[in-house]
mmCIF file of all heavy atoms in Angstrom:
data_model
loop_
_atom_site.group_PDB
_atom_site.id
_atom_site.type_symbol
_atom_site.label_atom_id
_atom_site.label_comp_id
_atom_site.label_asym_id
_atom_site.label_seq_id
_atom_site.Cartn_x
_atom_site.Cartn_y
_atom_site.Cartn_z
ATOM 1 N N ALA A 1451 53.583 49.724 -65.182
ATOM 2 C CA ALA A 1451 53.528 48.367 -64.910
ATOM 3 C C ALA A 1451 53.208 47.991 -63.390
ATOM 4 O O ALA A 1451 52.377 47.223 -63.025
ATOM 5 C CB ALA A 1451 54.893 47.649 -65.116
ATOM 6 N N LEU A 1452 53.743 48.892 -62.494
ATOM 7 C CA LEU A 1452 53.410 48.821 -61.106
ATOM 8 C C LEU A 1452 52.019 49.174 -60.818
ATOM 9 O O LEU A 1452 51.318 48.633 -59.861
ATOM 10 C CB LEU A 1452 54.473 49.699 -60.341
ATOM 11 C CG LEU A 1452 55.836 49.293 -60.227
ATOM 12 C CD1 LEU A 1452 56.693 50.448 -59.664
ATOM 13 C CD2 LEU A 1452 56.026 48.112 -59.269
ATOM 14 N N THR A 1453 51.377 50.126 -61.525
ATOM 15 C CA THR A 1453 50.161 50.479 -61.238
ATOM 16 C C THR A 1453 49.044 49.304 -61.540
ATOM 17 O O THR A 1453 48.058 49.183 -60.960
ATOM 18 C CB THR A 1453 49.654 51.773 -61.956
ATOM 19 O OG1 THR A 1453 49.708 51.428 -63.429
ATOM 20 C CG2 THR A 1453 50.420 52.920 -61.643
ATOM 21 N N GLU A 1454 49.519 48.535 -62.432
ATOM 22 C CA GLU A 1454 48.648 47.483 -62.855
ATOM 23 C C GLU A 1454 48.852 46.182 -62.031
ATOM 24 O O GLU A 1454 47.888 45.411 -61.965
ATOM 25 C CB GLU A 1454 48.998 47.056 -64.299
ATOM 26 C CG GLU A 1454 48.436 48.116 -65.321
ATOM 27 C CD GLU A 1454 48.568 47.699 -66.745
ATOM 28 O OE1 GLU A 1454 49.393 46.752 -67.110
ATOM 29 O OE2 GLU A 1454 47.718 48.221 -67.632
ATOM 30 N N HIS A 1455 49.956 45.934 -61.372
ATOM 31 C CA HIS A 1455 50.249 44.703 -60.783
ATOM 32 C C HIS A 1455 50.724 44.909 -59.290
ATOM 33 O O HIS A 1455 51.090 43.965 -58.569
ATOM 34 C CB HIS A 1455 51.367 44.035 -61.483
ATOM 35 C CG HIS A 1455 51.029 43.782 -62.872
ATOM 36 N ND1 HIS A 1455 50.048 42.941 -63.283
ATOM 37 C CD2 HIS A 1455 51.680 44.395 -64.049
ATOM 38 C CE1 HIS A 1455 49.947 42.977 -64.607
ATOM 39 N NE2 HIS A 1455 50.889 43.795 -65.086
ATOM 40 N N GLU A 1456 50.699 46.113 -58.723
ATOM 41 C CA GLU A 1456 51.156 46.270 -57.427
ATOM 42 C C GLU A 1456 50.231 46.785 -56.377
ATOM 43 O O GLU A 1456 49.665 47.896 -56.674
ATOM 44 C CB GLU A 1456 52.457 47.356 -57.450
ATOM 45 C CG GLU A 1456 53.246 47.478 -56.282
ATOM 46 C CD GLU A 1456 53.857 46.222 -55.688
ATOM 47 O OE1 GLU A 1456 54.522 45.451 -56.585
ATOM 48 O OE2 GLU A 1456 53.755 45.821 -54.627
ATOM 49 N N ASP A 1457 50.084 46.107 -55.332
ATOM 50 C CA ASP A 1457 49.147 46.649 -54.348
ATOM 51 C C ASP A 1457 49.777 47.637 -53.321
ATOM 52 O O ASP A 1457 49.238 48.414 -52.651
ATOM 53 C CB ASP A 1457 48.458 45.410 -53.694
ATOM 54 C CG ASP A 1457 47.438 44.688 -54.485
ATOM 55 O OD1 ASP A 1457 46.875 45.275 -55.442
ATOM 56 O OD2 ASP A 1457 47.375 43.512 -54.321
ATOM 57 N N ASP A 1458 51.129 47.384 -53.152
ATOM 58 C CA ASP A 1458 51.926 48.099 -52.226
ATOM 59 C C ASP A 1458 52.349 49.367 -52.849
ATOM 60 O O ASP A 1458 53.058 49.461 -53.870
ATOM 61 C CB ASP A 1458 53.115 47.249 -51.830
ATOM 62 C CG ASP A 1458 54.025 47.825 -50.779
ATOM 63 O OD1 ASP A 1458 53.558 48.811 -50.105
ATOM 64 O OD2 ASP A 1458 55.047 47.359 -50.534
ATOM 65 N N ALA A 1459 52.131 50.445 -52.157
ATOM 66 C CA ALA A 1459 52.489 51.787 -52.589
ATOM 67 C C ALA A 1459 53.980 52.072 -52.597
ATOM 68 O O ALA A 1459 54.515 52.917 -53.340
ATOM 69 C CB ALA A 1459 51.771 52.993 -51.886
ATOM 70 N N ALA A 1460 54.712 51.259 -51.772
ATOM 71 C CA ALA A 1460 56.141 51.497 -51.604
ATOM 72 C C ALA A 1460 56.890 51.534 -52.979
ATOM 73 O O ALA A 1460 57.859 52.315 -53.130
ATOM 74 C CB ALA A 1460 56.778 50.578 -50.613
ATOM 75 N N ASP A 1461 56.682 50.519 -53.839
ATOM 76 C CA ASP A 1461 57.398 50.530 -55.087
ATOM 77 C C ASP A 1461 56.936 51.738 -56.002
ATOM 78 O O ASP A 1461 57.825 52.218 -56.756
ATOM 79 C CB ASP A 1461 57.118 49.197 -55.797
ATOM 80 C CG ASP A 1461 57.688 47.943 -55.030
ATOM 81 O OD1 ASP A 1461 58.701 48.145 -54.376
ATOM 82 O OD2 ASP A 1461 57.236 46.885 -55.122
ATOM 83 N N LEU A 1462 55.798 52.061 -55.973
ATOM 84 C CA LEU A 1462 55.251 53.167 -56.694
ATOM 85 C C LEU A 1462 55.871 54.499 -56.160
ATOM 86 O O LEU A 1462 56.424 55.362 -57.065
ATOM 87 C CB LEU A 1462 53.787 53.370 -56.562
ATOM 88 C CG LEU A 1462 52.980 52.369 -57.352
ATOM 89 C CD1 LEU A 1462 51.509 52.279 -56.847
ATOM 90 C CD2 LEU A 1462 52.932 52.566 -58.781
ATOM 91 N N ILE A 1463 55.947 54.712 -54.941
ATOM 92 C CA ILE A 1463 56.695 55.914 -54.349
ATOM 93 C C ILE A 1463 58.141 55.839 -54.797
ATOM 94 O O ILE A 1463 58.669 56.835 -55.153
ATOM 95 C CB ILE A 1463 56.596 55.825 -52.857
ATOM 96 C CG1 ILE A 1463 55.066 56.053 -52.327
ATOM 97 C CG2 ILE A 1463 57.459 56.778 -52.232
ATOM 98 C CD1 ILE A 1463 54.717 55.800 -50.994
ATOM 99 N N ALA A 1464 58.834 54.692 -54.764
ATOM 100 C CA ALA A 1464 60.279 54.514 -55.096
ATOM 101 C C ALA A 1464 60.498 54.968 -56.528
ATOM 102 O O ALA A 1464 61.432 55.738 -56.938
ATOM 103 C CB ALA A 1464 60.787 53.131 -54.907
ATOM 104 N N GLU A 1465 59.700 54.595 -57.453
ATOM 105 C CA GLU A 1465 59.597 54.867 -58.918
ATOM 106 C C GLU A 1465 59.440 56.327 -59.020
ATOM 107 O O GLU A 1465 60.061 57.103 -59.916
ATOM 108 C CB GLU A 1465 58.737 54.049 -59.668
ATOM 109 C CG GLU A 1465 59.046 54.159 -61.155
ATOM 110 C CD GLU A 1465 60.350 53.720 -61.560
ATOM 111 O OE1 GLU A 1465 60.841 52.697 -61.170
ATOM 112 O OE2 GLU A 1465 61.065 54.586 -62.227
ATOM 113 N N ASN A 1466 58.470 56.897 -58.327
ATOM 114 C CA ASN A 1466 58.210 58.261 -58.404
ATOM 115 C C ASN A 1466 59.374 59.168 -57.994
ATOM 116 O O ASN A 1466 59.733 60.142 -58.660
ATOM 117 C CB ASN A 1466 56.956 58.697 -57.505
ATOM 118 C CG ASN A 1466 56.598 60.128 -57.483
ATOM 119 O OD1 ASN A 1466 56.283 60.695 -58.577
ATOM 120 N ND2 ASN A 1466 56.758 60.804 -56.420
ATOM 121 N N ILE A 1467 60.093 58.760 -56.961
ATOM 122 C CA ILE A 1467 61.250 59.463 -56.506
ATOM 123 C C ILE A 1467 62.341 59.344 -57.572
ATOM 124 O O ILE A 1467 63.010 60.306 -57.870
ATOM 125 C CB ILE A 1467 61.663 58.928 -55.170
ATOM 126 C CG1 ILE A 1467 60.669 59.355 -54.062
ATOM 127 C CG2 ILE A 1467 63.105 59.362 -54.804
ATOM 128 C CD1 ILE A 1467 60.910 58.565 -52.689
ATOM 129 N N SER A 1468 62.443 58.176 -58.195
ATOM 130 C CA SER A 1468 63.393 57.989 -59.174
ATOM 131 C C SER A 1468 63.148 58.915 -60.365
ATOM 132 O O SER A 1468 64.107 59.530 -60.876
ATOM 133 C CB SER A 1468 63.480 56.528 -59.768
ATOM 134 O OG SER A 1468 64.239 56.368 -60.786
ATOM 135 N N PHE A 1469 61.980 59.023 -60.843
ATOM 136 C CA PHE A 1469 61.491 59.995 -61.896
ATOM 137 C C PHE A 1469 61.853 61.397 -61.547
ATOM 138 O O PHE A 1469 62.581 62.100 -62.346
ATOM 139 C CB PHE A 1469 59.978 59.885 -62.175
ATOM 140 C CG PHE A 1469 59.625 60.728 -63.239
ATOM 141 C CD1 PHE A 1469 59.498 60.359 -64.578
ATOM 142 C CD2 PHE A 1469 59.040 62.012 -62.882
ATOM 143 C CE1 PHE A 1469 58.994 61.153 -65.521
ATOM 144 C CE2 PHE A 1469 58.542 62.798 -63.880
ATOM 145 C CZ PHE A 1469 58.489 62.432 -65.263
ATOM 146 N N HIS A 1470 61.544 61.799 -60.415
ATOM 147 C CA HIS A 1470 61.974 63.196 -60.090
ATOM 148 C C HIS A 1470 63.424 63.445 -60.028
ATOM 149 O O HIS A 1470 63.950 64.485 -60.310
ATOM 150 C CB HIS A 1470 61.187 63.593 -58.702
ATOM 151 C CG HIS A 1470 59.794 63.819 -58.918
ATOM 152 N ND1 HIS A 1470 59.204 65.020 -58.982
ATOM 153 C CD2 HIS A 1470 58.746 62.956 -58.993
ATOM 154 C CE1 HIS A 1470 57.876 64.954 -59.149
ATOM 155 N NE2 HIS A 1470 57.581 63.657 -59.155
ATOM 156 N N ALA A 1471 64.084 62.437 -59.484
ATOM 157 C CA ALA A 1471 65.656 62.527 -59.276
ATOM 158 C C ALA A 1471 66.360 62.576 -60.705
ATOM 159 O O ALA A 1471 67.339 63.332 -60.984
ATOM 160 C CB ALA A 1471 66.177 61.285 -58.557
ATOM 161 N N LEU A 1472 65.768 61.892 -61.702
ATOM 162 C CA LEU A 1472 66.382 61.958 -63.047
ATOM 163 C C LEU A 1472 66.296 63.315 -63.523
ATOM 164 O O LEU A 1472 67.172 63.891 -64.116
ATOM 165 C CB LEU A 1472 65.512 60.990 -64.012
ATOM 166 C CG LEU A 1472 65.754 59.549 -63.786
ATOM 167 C CD1 LEU A 1472 64.803 58.733 -64.665
ATOM 168 C CD2 LEU A 1472 67.126 59.192 -64.257
ATOM 169 N N ILE A 1473 65.177 64.082 -63.312
ATOM 170 C CA ILE A 1473 65.028 65.410 -63.784
ATOM 171 C C ILE A 1473 65.957 66.323 -63.069
ATOM 172 O O ILE A 1473 66.650 67.185 -63.680
ATOM 173 C CB ILE A 1473 63.632 65.838 -63.715
ATOM 174 C CG1 ILE A 1473 62.677 64.997 -64.768
ATOM 175 C CG2 ILE A 1473 63.336 67.307 -64.008
ATOM 176 C CD1 ILE A 1473 61.224 65.108 -64.587
ATOM 177 N N ALA A 1474 65.963 66.225 -61.778
ATOM 178 C CA ALA A 1474 66.851 67.176 -60.910
ATOM 179 C C ALA A 1474 68.366 66.825 -61.348
ATOM 180 O O ALA A 1474 69.107 67.888 -61.469
ATOM 181 C CB ALA A 1474 66.699 66.891 -59.439
ATOM 182 N N GLU A 1475 68.807 65.633 -61.574
ATOM 183 C CA GLU A 1475 70.170 65.362 -62.031
ATOM 184 C C GLU A 1475 70.419 65.979 -63.333
ATOM 185 O O GLU A 1475 71.495 66.474 -63.691
ATOM 186 C CB GLU A 1475 70.390 63.814 -61.935
ATOM 187 C CG GLU A 1475 70.449 63.295 -60.667
ATOM 188 C CD GLU A 1475 70.419 61.791 -60.759
ATOM 189 O OE1 GLU A 1475 70.539 61.144 -61.842
ATOM 190 O OE2 GLU A 1475 70.149 61.158 -59.529
ATOM 191 N N ALA A 1476 69.395 65.861 -64.281
ATOM 192 C CA ALA A 1476 69.578 66.358 -65.637
ATOM 193 C C ALA A 1476 69.734 67.866 -65.712
ATOM 194 O O ALA A 1476 70.469 68.470 -66.597
ATOM 195 C CB ALA A 1476 68.397 65.888 -66.474
ATOM 196 N N ALA A 1477 69.153 68.569 -64.740
ATOM 197 C CA ALA A 1477 69.303 70.087 -64.628
ATOM 198 C C ALA A 1477 70.791 70.402 -64.345
ATOM 199 O O ALA A 1477 71.180 71.418 -64.756
ATOM 200 C CB ALA A 1477 68.365 70.574 -63.562
ATOM 201 N N ALA A 1478 71.443 69.515 -63.664
ATOM 202 C CA ALA A 1478 72.833 69.546 -63.491
ATOM 203 C C ALA A 1478 73.313 70.907 -62.735
ATOM 204 O O ALA A 1478 74.229 71.542 -63.062
ATOM 205 C CB ALA A 1478 73.630 69.433 -64.828
ATOM 206 N N ILE A 1479 72.511 71.329 -61.837
ATOM 207 C CA ILE A 1479 72.753 72.524 -60.873
ATOM 208 C C ILE A 1479 72.869 71.883 -59.427
ATOM 209 O O ILE A 1479 71.876 71.707 -58.851
ATOM 210 C CB ILE A 1479 71.715 73.613 -61.017
ATOM 211 C CG1 ILE A 1479 71.530 73.997 -62.444
ATOM 212 C CG2 ILE A 1479 72.057 74.767 -60.094
ATOM 213 C CD1 ILE A 1479 70.382 74.908 -62.700
ATOM 214 N N ARG A 1480 74.124 71.736 -59.041
ATOM 215 C CA ARG A 1480 74.313 71.236 -57.670
ATOM 216 C C ARG A 1480 73.507 71.833 -56.672
ATOM 217 O O ARG A 1480 72.867 71.061 -55.778
ATOM 218 C CB ARG A 1480 75.781 71.140 -57.368
ATOM 219 C CG ARG A 1480 76.181 70.300 -56.263
ATOM 220 C CD ARG A 1480 77.535 70.335 -55.904
ATOM 221 N NE ARG A 1480 77.804 71.732 -55.345
ATOM 222 C CZ ARG A 1480 78.885 72.424 -55.477
ATOM 223 N NH1 ARG A 1480 79.768 72.080 -56.381
ATOM 224 N NH2 ARG A 1480 78.987 73.690 -54.935
ATOM 225 N N GLN A 1481 73.450 73.155 -56.630
ATOM 226 C CA GLN A 1481 72.815 73.858 -55.495
ATOM 227 C C GLN A 1481 71.202 73.554 -55.605
ATOM 228 O O GLN A 1481 70.571 73.562 -54.571
ATOM 229 C CB GLN A 1481 73.054 75.404 -55.578
ATOM 230 C CG GLN A 1481 74.479 75.770 -55.381
ATOM 231 C CD GLN A 1481 75.345 75.731 -56.629
ATOM 232 O OE1 GLN A 1481 74.945 75.088 -57.705
ATOM 233 N NE2 GLN A 1481 76.602 76.219 -56.420
ATOM 234 N N LEU A 1482 70.668 73.535 -56.758
ATOM 235 C CA LEU A 1482 69.238 73.318 -57.017
ATOM 236 C C LEU A 1482 68.953 71.904 -56.570
ATOM 237 O O LEU A 1482 67.951 71.719 -55.900
ATOM 238 C CB LEU A 1482 68.937 73.491 -58.540
ATOM 239 C CG LEU A 1482 67.492 73.149 -58.865
ATOM 240 C CD1 LEU A 1482 66.458 74.064 -58.118
ATOM 241 C CD2 LEU A 1482 67.282 73.327 -60.431
ATOM 242 N N ASP A 1483 69.814 70.937 -56.881
ATOM 243 C CA ASP A 1483 69.552 69.541 -56.475
ATOM 244 C C ASP A 1483 69.580 69.482 -54.890
ATOM 245 O O ASP A 1483 68.746 68.881 -54.279
ATOM 246 C CB ASP A 1483 70.665 68.576 -57.025
ATOM 247 C CG ASP A 1483 70.338 67.186 -56.756
ATOM 248 O OD1 ASP A 1483 69.275 66.741 -56.918
ATOM 249 O OD2 ASP A 1483 71.310 66.422 -56.580
ATOM 250 N N ALA A 1484 70.584 70.192 -54.303
ATOM 251 C CA ALA A 1484 70.550 70.150 -52.748
ATOM 252 C C ALA A 1484 69.326 70.809 -52.251
ATOM 253 O O ALA A 1484 68.751 70.363 -51.277
ATOM 254 C CB ALA A 1484 71.813 70.958 -52.381
ATOM 255 N N MET A 1485 68.726 71.870 -52.817
ATOM 256 C CA MET A 1485 67.678 72.531 -52.312
ATOM 257 C C MET A 1485 66.466 71.654 -52.395
ATOM 258 O O MET A 1485 65.602 71.591 -51.559
ATOM 259 C CB MET A 1485 67.485 73.863 -53.001
ATOM 260 C CG MET A 1485 68.509 74.952 -52.752
ATOM 261 S SD MET A 1485 68.523 76.343 -53.779
ATOM 262 C CE MET A 1485 66.985 77.149 -53.392
#
């Protein structure tokens, strides 16, 4: 939705970070998340 309606990259970057964080959290390895 952001790619279709957003000219500002900041919201896209925030969503990208959120996506990656979901995966790191799901791995559930505290040391890996810190690294």
Side-chain angles (χ1 to χ4, degrees):
L1452 289 168
T1453 64
E1454 293 187 334
H1455 306 293
E1456 188 64 48
D1457 292 330
D1458 183 16
D1461 290 336
L1462 290 163
I1463 291 167
E1465 191 58 50
N1466 181 65
I1467 291 169
S1468 175
F1469 178 86
H1470 286 261
L1472 286 169
I1473 293 169
E1475 290 168 12
I1479 302 172
R1480 191 183 73 226
Q1481 297 85 348
L1482 177 61
D1483 192 42
M1485 292 167 69

